[in-house]
């Protein structure tokens, strides 16, 4: 179907209000007005006494400024580069920022569509803004860059998880308004982790690690982060994903003979100490040379469970990966 030339021209010249621009960018209208007042980033062809209407080329400049400030570039410099149409490489430094507003510019945390991120890496703040805008291409690029430049552990701990927690807090206070943001962000985080994950044969015979979610547990992103981390360390694994039934989990332990089994529980309702003990007691191998797996209990669901013999409860991804690598290569 061919679009009429006059309609194409109309679409190219279509304009939106300041409020519409703010919603698209995931910032407050006050911030947009402040940028116009302080840095001269305003709608082209605006006439005094008439409402501001932003054309596509005007919005493109604002989007460029958002990308730059999200990565720690000071607002004044970001505005200059955005107006000049300059292409700059995002800095890779590890400095943390609380926000990217200027000294007289209104802060966005706690209002509008901004996420309650607090003090985070610039990469996390940029990811949060892109997720709120539902800007899937930018979310994907930022996640891939974070994994490539920071490594799986740092990307998970300092970029992915803070953004996910902030979306969860926003969802809890705003009802269902931010469910779509959480779903989009989770899906792309899973994709970035999968890109970094490979099932390869180790150079020497090594018993694999078993990764499984407890029965009824539907969350699996953390398991995917573990799988990506094990890939980087050259440790073989078998991923079974979320909600593995009890019988299937125990049968997998018998068939695989893993060096360790990581059992993930996000919620207390899915943490089952009896199943964890059963997995730790499950043996395999010929009589006289029987072996049992070490069991790692991962996730906040295990917080209310007391210590159990034969189990380890790592608190962070790096700690869990170090335990699994040591057990696999012992």
């Amino acid at each position: 179907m061919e679009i009429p030339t006059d309609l194409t021209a109309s679409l190219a010249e279509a304009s939106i209000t300041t409020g519409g621009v703010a919603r698209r960018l995931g910032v407050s209208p006050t911030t947009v007005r402040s940028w116009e007042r302080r840095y001269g980033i305003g709608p082209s062809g605006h006439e005094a006494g008439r409402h501001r209407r932003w054309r596509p080329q005007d919005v493109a400049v604002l989007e460029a400024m958002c990308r730059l400030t999200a990565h720690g570039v000071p607002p004044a410099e970001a505005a200059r580069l955005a107006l000049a149409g300059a292409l700059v490489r995002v800095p890779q430094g590890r400095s943390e920022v609380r926000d990217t507003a200027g000294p007289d510019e209104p802060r966005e945390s706690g209002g509008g569509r901004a996420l309650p991120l607090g003090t985070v890496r610039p990469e996390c703040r940029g990811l949060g803004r892109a997720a709120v805008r539902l800007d899937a291409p930018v979310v994907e690029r930022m996640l891939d860059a974070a994994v490539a430049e920071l490594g799986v552990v740092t990307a998970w701990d300092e970029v992915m998880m803070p953004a996910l927690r902030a979306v969860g807090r926003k969802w809890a206070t705003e009802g269902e308004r931010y469910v779509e943001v959480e779903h989009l962000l989770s899906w792309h985080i899973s994709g970035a982790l999968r890109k970094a994950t490979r099932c390869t044969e180790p150079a020497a015979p090594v018993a694999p690690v078993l990764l499984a979610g407890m029965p009824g547990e539907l969350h699996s992103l953390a398991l995917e982060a573990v799988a990506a981390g094990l890939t980087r360390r050259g440790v073989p694994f078998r991923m079974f994903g979320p909600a593995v039934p009890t019988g299937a989990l125990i049968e997998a332990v018998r068939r695989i003979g893993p060096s360790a089994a990581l059992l993930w529980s996000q919620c207390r309702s899915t943490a089952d100490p009896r199943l964890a003990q059963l997995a730790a007691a499950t043996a395999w191998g010929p009589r006289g040379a029987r072996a049992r797996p070490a069991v790692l209990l991962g996730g906040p669901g295990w917080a209310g469970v007391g210590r159990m013999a034969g189990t380890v409860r790592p608190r962070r991804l790096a700690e869990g990966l170090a335990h699994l690598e040591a057990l696999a290569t012992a």
Side-chain angles (χ1 to χ4, degrees):
M1 177 179 175
E2 195 169 316
I3 300 177
T5 304
D6 57 344
L7 179 56
T8 303
S10 297
L11 289 173
E13 291 299 317
S15 59
I16 56 178
T17 64
T18 298
V21 170
R23 287 190 294 273
R24 175 169 174 172
L25 299 178
V27 301
S28 69
T30 304
T31 295
V32 175
R33 297 187 190 98
S34 174
W35 285 352
E36 180 183 0
R37 184 181 68 253
R38 292 176 57 82
Y39 309 121
I41 295 186
S44 56
H46 172 65
E47 297 179 14
R50 302 189 64 178
H51 290 295
R52 286 165 171 74
R53 304 289 300 188
W54 299 76
R55 295 178 179 178
Q57 61 268 30
D58 304 324
V59 177
V61 174
L62 284 175
E63 288 175 336
M65 179 156 179
C66 279
R67 285 193 295 270
L68 291 163
T69 57
H71 287 88
V73 178
E77 178 67 7
R80 186 185 67 79
L81 293 169
L83 285 167
L87 297 177
V88 297
R89 189 170 187 275
V90 173
Q92 298 180 23
R94 295 180 54 85
S95 61
E96 294 184 343
V97 294
R98 177 164 293 277
D99 57 45
T100 54
D104 300 322
E105 188 173 339
R107 267 51 178 172
E108 296 178 34
S109 59
R113 288 176 174 263
L115 296 179
L117 285 164
T119 301
V120 294
R121 296 184 66 100
E123 296 90 340
C124 179
R125 187 167 298 283
L127 177 63
R129 285 177 171 168
V132 168
R133 297 197 306 269
L134 302 180
D135 193 339
V138 173
V139 168
E140 184 174 283
R141 287 198 299 271
M142 286 185 168
L143 287 169
D144 289 345
V147 173
E149 296 171 8
L150 305 176
V152 171
V153 173
T154 301
W156 174 258
D157 285 342
E158 300 184 21
V159 179
M160 299 175 183
M161 280 305 297
L164 281 171
R165 291 193 187 104
V167 173
R169 289 193 294 269
K170 195 72 171 177
W171 177 20
T173 58
E174 299 283 345
E176 294 186 355
R177 283 184 57 206
Y178 285 79
V179 174
E180 75 281 4
V181 178
E182 183 182 41
H183 284 203
L184 181 138
L185 183 58
S186 297
W187 190 84
H188 282 284
I189 287 176
S190 177
L193 293 171
R194 294 287 186 91
K195 291 177 187 177
T197 304
R198 295 289 183 275
C199 290
T200 57
E201 293 294 336
V206 176
V209 169
L210 186 152
L211 307 175
M214 294 293 287
E217 180 54 66
L218 301 179
H219 296 82
S220 63
L221 276 182
L223 290 176
E224 294 174 28
V226 172
L230 291 175
T231 296
R232 296 292 177 95
R233 292 169 179 248
V235 177
F237 63 88
R238 301 293 182 269
M239 167 67 86
F240 292 93
V244 182
T246 299
L249 176 60
I250 300 305
E251 181 61 20
V253 171
R254 290 198 182 100
R255 291 176 61 186
I256 294 172
S259 56
L262 173 60
L263 307 181
W264 182 263
S265 174
Q266 183 77 18
C267 308
R268 289 192 178 187
S269 60
T270 63
D272 186 348
R274 291 172 298 179
L275 176 53
Q277 290 174 326
L278 180 59
T282 300
W284 64 86
R287 185 170 297 179
R290 307 280 279 174
R292 293 178 175 81
V295 172
L296 277 69
L297 307 178
W302 297 104
V305 177
R307 292 185 176 276
M308 292 182 288
T311 67
V312 177
R313 191 180 304 162
R315 304 296 179 182
R316 299 180 67 85
L317 177 58
E319 182 185 353
L321 290 172
H323 273 298
L324 293 172
E325 183 178 23
L327 291 166
T329 57

